[in-house]
Amino acid sequence: MNKLLSIVLIGISLTAQAQSAKEIMYIGTYSLRGSEGIYVFEFDRKTGTMQPIQSVSNAKSPSFLAIHPSGKYLYSVNEGAAKTEGGVSAYTIDRATGKLTFLNGQSSLGAGPCHVSVDQTGKTAFVSNYGGGSLAVLPIKADGTLGEATDSVQDEGTGPNTQRQEKAHVHSATLAPDNRFVYVADLGIDKLNIYDIDVKASKIKPASTPYATVKPGSGPRHFTFHPNGKYAYLVEEMTSSVAVFSRNPQTGALTMLEDNVKTLPADFTGQNTSADIHIDPSGKFLYQSNRGYNALTIFAIGNDGKLTKVGDQPTEGKTPRNFLIDPKGEFVFVAHQDSDNITIFKRDQKTGKLTYTGQSVKVPAPVCVLMASSH
């Protein structure tokens, strides 16, 4: 009886712990219209609302964020740092409250850093310099601080769009599900460069198949993998389209399945650029944000990885940049750079369609939305 009672009590205690885990959200912004820097919110899943916890002062446009796999640290690129060299900052996360404390900063070795990612071991950060057309590889120390860059790659080349592709523009670096490769999207040269990673040394080298190319003038921006690891999807910013690839897990090589899959309705005639791309946790639906049309495009993903358009969801704001599908697949949060708000949508897990909850949170020039659980 006592043993049974103790098992029951342990069960109750674990349930209470699970329920008390707060869902914390981090918002990266541009330093415009009074933005203080990085904003921290708590998400209440029952009411579907976000409550402000903290704003962290950073006047250098901490636009894109990444959370360390341990959940103890957060990293931001500082896109508005000195014109020649951008920066990247490290923060500790208070696991009880979700609040941030500045740790240290390092150079990104290039101008206009716009994306940061961290490998699954938590030992290496990859920083994409849009302005500089380069990728910097920085070691992460045991205390979460960033070391000086141990490796970097400078892209060279141009594309047919002389205004946007006058030189290389590295836009993102995405880790493969197996953590063996990093895929670097370069908007300026219409390439996805593929690198082998040595996470212990924080070094990279070109993979045996070193890149995949897309239709000239497409403008590769962000990249995401299907949960099964077999397929991958690329935002083509300038053609408002998506490219679909299959992936060889041994070599990391990509094979094009579909290129320039259109995301906009046929009757849309305005100006538009695509921004972000995410797949729901079940791997059944893909979403892509469109700036100008101001909507998320929704695709169903077939067993062969190919896409069928389901519809478009207006995002209730202007210039939707990054967006977040919460880890349970129930909600979608959209950051609007030009209307200074984040809008919240409920997601139908069967159809993939979205319903606006009516909840809109004011944040100046939001760019990036992340979620973490605190304990």
Side-chain angles (χ1 to χ4, degrees):
M1 178 66 186
N2 284 350
K3 193 171 181 185
L4 181 62
L5 184 62
S6 67
I7 289 169
V8 169
L9 288 172
I10 288 168
I12 291 168
S13 157
L14 288 172
T15 305
Q17 281 177 9
Q19 287 172 343
S20 69
K22 295 176 180 176
E23 292 188 287
I24 304 296
M25 301 186 67
Y26 298 96
I27 316 296
T29 69
Y30 282 137
S31 299
L32 298 168
R33 298 185 291 278
S35 173
E36 290 177 40
I38 301 170
Y39 289 78
V40 187
F41 288 84
E42 184 177 342
F43 178 60
D44 185 326
R45 190 170 287 273
K46 285 181 187 161
T47 61
T49 56
M50 292 165 62
Q51 301 302 325
I53 293 176
Q54 182 192 24
S55 58
V56 182
S57 181
N58 179 333
K60 293 180 178 174
S61 289
S63 58
F64 203 91
L65 313 174
I67 295 172
H68 191 274
S70 69
K72 294 179 181 175
Y73 312 107
L74 178 137
Y75 302 92
S76 83
V77 293
N78 302 319
E79 202 167 331
K83 283 186 180 172
T84 49
E85 281 193 3
V88 55
S89 299
Y91 299 85
T92 55
I93 295 174
D94 183 317
R95 294 296 296 236
T97 64
K99 288 185 177 180
L100 301 177
T101 306
F102 178 75
L103 265 177
N104 81 322
Q106 290 287 0
S107 167
S108 68
L109 305 182
C114 65
H115 186 274
V116 58
S117 51
V118 178
D119 93 284
Q120 290 164 27
T121 70
K123 291 180 178 165
T124 306
F126 300 89
V127 182
S128 301
N129 294 303
Y130 182 84
S134 64
L135 178 76
V137 185
L138 288 79
I140 298 172
K141 299 177 183 175
D143 63 358
T145 56
L146 292 161
E148 289 185 10
T150 43
D151 208 350
S152 66
V153 179
Q154 178 66 55
D155 282 0
E156 301 290 345
T158 57
N161 184 321
T162 51
Q163 285 183 304
R164 297 290 312 279
Q165 297 181 308
E166 79 293 357
K167 61 175 186 173
H169 289 297
V170 174
H171 218 310
S172 62
T174 306
L175 280 300
D178 58 16
N179 209 49
R180 290 174 50 218
F181 303 95
V182 63
Y183 294 79
V184 181
D186 193 314
L187 180 140
I189 61 175
D190 295 314
K191 271 186 183 178
L192 264 172
N193 290 316
I194 309 169
Y195 296 97
D196 283 317
I197 307 169
D198 180 342
V199 287
K200 286 181 184 164
S202 296
K203 297 262 188 184
I204 59 172
K205 65 178 183 184
S208 55
T209 302
Y211 60 85
T213 55
V214 294
K215 191 174 176 182
S218 301
R221 182 182 172 97
H222 282 228
F223 192 57
T224 192
F225 289 95
H226 192 278
N228 68 17
K230 291 181 188 173
Y231 305 112
Y233 302 84
L234 173 72
V235 170
E236 299 172 309
E237 174 180 329
M238 296 180 339
T239 46
S240 304
S241 54
V242 55
V244 182
F245 299 91
S246 62
R247 176 177 168 269
N248 181 322
Q250 278 74 44
T251 65
L254 298 172
T255 302
M256 180 81 73
L257 296 178
E258 296 184 285
D259 192 14
N260 267 134
V261 178
K262 299 296 178 219
T263 61
L264 295 169
D267 60 357
F268 179 74
T269 55
Q271 295 291 314
N272 187 81
T273 53
S274 289
D276 198 13
I277 190 165
H278 293 288
I279 294 171
D280 81 296
S282 75
K284 291 177 181 169
F285 297 97
L286 178 139
Y287 300 80
Q288 185 161 317
S289 59
N290 277 312
R291 302 171 292 182
Y293 183 51
N294 296 333
L296 294 186
T297 302
I298 307 165
F299 290 100
I301 302 174
N303 292 332
D304 59 358
K306 292 185 178 178
L307 301 175
T308 306
K309 188 166 176 180
V310 171
D312 298 285
Q313 173 62 51
T315 54
E316 310 296 331
K318 195 176 176 190
T319 318
R321 283 288 296 262
N322 296 93
F323 62 96
L324 169 78
I325 303 171
D326 93 88
K328 294 182 181 174
E330 295 175 351
F331 291 91
V332 175
F333 306 82
V334 185
H336 295 97
Q337 180 186 326
D338 291 332
S339 53
D340 300 336
N341 65 325
I342 291 162
T343 49
I344 306 176
F345 296 82
K346 198 91 173 70
R347 189 177 158 270
D348 185 317
Q349 310 219 25
K350 289 199 177 105
T351 66
K353 292 191 175 176
L354 306 177
T355 307
Y356 180 46
T357 64
Q359 292 291 329
S360 175
V361 180
K362 278 200 165 305
V363 179
V367 172
C368 181
V369 193
L370 292 182
M371 183 183 278
S373 291
S374 71
H375 299 282

